[in-house]
Amino acid sequence: MPDDMVEAHINGVRNALAAGWRVLERGGAALDAVEEAVVIMEDDDTFDAGRGSFLNREGKVQLDALIMDGATLRAGGVGCVERVRNPVRAARKILSESPHVYFVAEGAERFAAEHGVELCRNEDLVIAREVERLREYQARAAAVDPTSRAKGAREMGHPGSSQDGNDLFAPAVSHDTVGAVALDGEGNIAAATSTGGTLNKAPGRLGDSSLIGCGCYADNLSAAVSTTGWGEPIMKLVLAKWTADRVAAGNLPEWAAQEAMNYLKQRLNGHGGIIVLNGQGQIGIAHNTPRMAWAWKTVKSDEAGVNRGNSGMEP
């Protein structure tokens, strides 16, 4: 996260927090709260979700999202959608109105439209900042290997080396996937995650964000979890479920979040961040990157930042 984007990130997560909290304040469900929080971040082009997301190799936005209800274990996910401004809305429709869990690409867009989610043009999701970012990256990659057109490892989600011009998966690179977790007055928890994926990704590539148990998970018996970062290692470790299982075994979310980041780094040299919430309102926030924007609120207090600091808060 560049220095000049810190304030925008903090403002963005604070706005999302406020939207989710309004739902909870009026007695709403955790599921509604995480949906509304994520919508705010999808609409904020600071983040890699919704409008303003990273572009794939062909210059298009392709979006993924998942939302999960900890009370029922129902979930809804979409992958590789190009004409949905708020993919978490489409994911929620799948959770609520379909016997299935996951729709992708045209099928997801068709389902969304049939269930009242307005479609948009892909061009409406593309902003000039990301066009220039993609142009610069592809130019650097071509300068290193003029025949590659940034293909091979760079589009497959492998880190490559610093010599090949690929720094997309370095810990200092901003990924900006968004997520939210919430606990409501009925004692139910929920989680949601939404992303535009990685810059210059191959068309059709899916990361961890919308995969159940990888980038998002919620179970009242354990925890609600959302992750961000380099998706391929997170998928291989099924990291959200791994973390929830640690909470179910009796560990505090603070410890589980920190251990998840240690596991990600030690096992696969991966990097990212995680937010965790259990049914007692205990929160864990951790990241093994230089910064990650986060915000939390309870009935007693609230806080936001870009560094982990004290990552375990009591209700």
Side-chain angles (χ1 to χ4, degrees), residues 92-115:
R92 176 62 188 276
K93 289 290 186 180
I94 294 168
L95 183 155
S96 300
E97 301 181 30
S98 171
H100 308 303
V101 171
Y102 214 100
F103 285 85
V104 299
E106 287 185 29
E109 293 172 359
R110 187 179 309 117
F111 179 91
E114 290 171 351
H115 290 80

Side-chain angles (χ1 to χ4, degrees), residues 8-217:
H9 279 80
I10 292 177
N11 289 338
V13 294
R14 282 194 181 277
N15 291 338
L17 180 69
W21 190 257
R22 283 193 293 270
V23 173
L24 298 176
E25 267 191 322
R26 60 175 184 259
L31 196 62
D32 295 327
V34 296
E35 179 183 0
E36 295 308 316
V38 168
V39 164
I40 294 296
M41 292 184 282
E42 288 176 339
D43 288 341
D44 184 341
D45 61 22
T46 299
F47 301 103
D48 178 30
R51 184 176 184 273
S53 290
F54 291 147
L55 304 181
N56 71 9
R57 191 184 72 216
E58 296 178 347
K60 289 186 174 183
V61 168
Q62 285 190 325
L63 304 172
D64 314 322
L66 185 88
I67 187 169
M68 188 164 182
D69 179 8
T72 64
L73 300 187
R74 295 186 68 180
V78 295
C80 295
V81 294
E82 297 183 358
R83 298 189 297 148
V84 179
R85 187 178 296 273
N86 294 113
V88 74
R89 295 280 197 218
R92 176 62 188 276
K93 289 290 186 180
I94 294 168
L95 183 155
S96 300
E97 301 181 30
S98 171
H100 308 303
V101 171
Y102 214 100
F103 285 85
V104 299
E106 287 185 29
E109 293 172 359
R110 187 179 309 117
F111 179 91
E114 290 171 351
H115 290 80
V117 176
E118 184 178 353
L119 300 184
C120 65
R121 301 179 308 155
N122 193 257
E123 292 85 352
D124 296 334
L125 304 176
V126 176
I127 64 173
R129 179 193 71 205
E130 296 307 320
V131 173
E132 180 62 16
R133 193 196 306 267
L134 178 66
R135 186 197 67 77
E136 290 179 356
Y137 174 73
Q138 291 182 337
R140 287 199 309 271
V144 172
D145 179 1
T147 66
S148 73
R149 295 186 62 230
K151 288 184 179 180
R154 287 184 290 276
E155 72 176 22
M156 292 300 291
H158 296 292
S161 67
S162 58
Q163 284 74 33
D164 70 4
N166 179 38
D167 57 359
L168 291 181
F169 302 102
V173 173
S174 181
H175 292 284
D176 289 342
T177 291
V178 305
V181 293
L183 167 67
D184 62 32
E186 299 298 317
N188 296 316
I189 57 178
T193 308
S194 182
T195 191
T198 58
L199 176 64
N200 198 53
K201 67 184 179 183
R205 177 263 187 188
L206 277 175
D208 65 290
S209 300
S210 65
L211 299 182
I212 192 168
C214 297
C216 186
Y217 193 74

Side-chain angles (χ1 to χ4, degrees), residues 286-298:
H287 53 99
N288 62 7
T289 55
R291 292 168 172 163
M292 180 183 78
W294 52 265
W296 59 264
K297 183 177 178 68
T298 72

Side-chain angles (χ1 to χ4, degrees), residues 202-289:
R205 177 263 187 188
L206 277 175
D208 65 290
S209 300
S210 65
L211 299 182
I212 192 168
C214 297
C216 186
Y217 193 74
D219 184 347
N220 280 9
L221 300 182
S222 56
V225 183
S226 179
T227 73
T228 181
W230 175 19
E232 276 70 16
I234 293 173
M235 284 188 280
K236 293 170 186 177
L237 299 177
V238 197
L239 195 62
K241 182 62 163 61
W242 184 95
T243 307
D245 287 345
R246 268 66 196 164
V247 177
N251 296 294
L252 291 174
E254 173 187 7
W255 182 92
Q258 292 170 346
E259 281 303 296
M261 292 299 97
N262 292 338
Y263 181 44
L264 179 63
K265 178 66 175 178
Q266 293 167 5
R267 186 72 174 86
L268 290 173
N269 197 32
H271 62 266
I274 193 167
I275 55 176
V276 186
L277 173 68
N278 67 9
Q280 290 72 53
Q282 295 165 315
I283 304 163
I285 299 171
H287 53 99
N288 62 7
T289 55

